[in-house]
Amino acid sequence: MPAAQVSASASVALRAAIFEALKADTALGAALGGHRVHDEPPANAAFPYVTLGDARIVDVSADDGQVQEHQLTLHAWSRQGGHREAHVITGALLQALDDAPLTPAGHRLVNLRFAIADIRREADGRTYHAVVRFRAITEPED
């Protein structure tokens, strides 16, 4: 399979595995007041919620295999409790995903690690936005 197809399919598979892991995580569900994880939020989504954001894929292949580094962004949106709720949701995201043993279809997850989080108040003065980034390495299954 050409490298571009492997990268795209690895990214899609990893994103699906992350989405399912977040939807199934009880601590995150408790922090959100329900399983409010969206690839794209519905119109008038109830706060708080989490969305899957941008991804960057880098080919870090060695001589004997196609290995991809994925830089993934998640967004948490809150309108209650100041920064506190956004921090609680961020903590739940870290607990759910940092070094999680996910199984993206057709690929092996070498690792999934937390990279950085930024939590800030949006310009409307009442919405808090956490941008949480993870780094993952995948390789094709044998």
Side-chain angles (χ1 to χ4, degrees):
M1 184 180 301
Q5 284 181 330
V6 170
S7 293
S9 65
S11 178
V12 169
L14 179 59
R15 189 176 178 96
I18 287 171
F19 183 78
E20 292 305 317
L22 294 178
K23 294 280 284 187
D25 190 83
T26 55
L28 180 61
L32 295 173
H35 294 287
R36 298 180 185 147
V37 178
H38 308 287
D39 190 14
E40 182 175 327
N44 302 313
F47 284 86
Y49 63 90
V50 169
T51 57
L52 279 66
D54 296 337
R56 174 180 288 169
I57 307 160
V58 178
D59 182 10
V60 292
S61 299
D63 293 337
D64 60 345
Q66 295 177 332
V67 180
Q68 288 82 42
E69 175 184 322
H70 306 261
Q71 297 170 16
L72 309 158
T73 303
L74 301 173
H75 299 271
W77 304 90
S78 168
R79 284 194 176 159
Q80 183 176 349
H83 280 106
R84 184 183 185 288
E85 187 175 59
H87 279 275
V88 168
I89 295 166
T90 299
L93 289 170
L94 271 59
Q95 286 292 102
L97 294 179
D98 191 44
D99 210 22
L102 304 181
T103 54
H107 302 275
R108 187 175 83 77
L109 180 62
V110 176
N111 65 36
L112 175 60
R113 300 287 162 84
F114 166 70
I116 191 169
D118 293 309
I119 301 169
R120 62 181 173 261
R121 184 178 319 166
E122 291 294 297
D124 68 5
R126 64 182 209 154
T127 303
Y128 291 84
H129 179 196
V131 179
V132 185
R133 293 187 174 92
F134 289 86
R135 177 185 171 274
I137 301 292
T138 61
E139 59 188 18
E141 286 184 335
D142 293 329

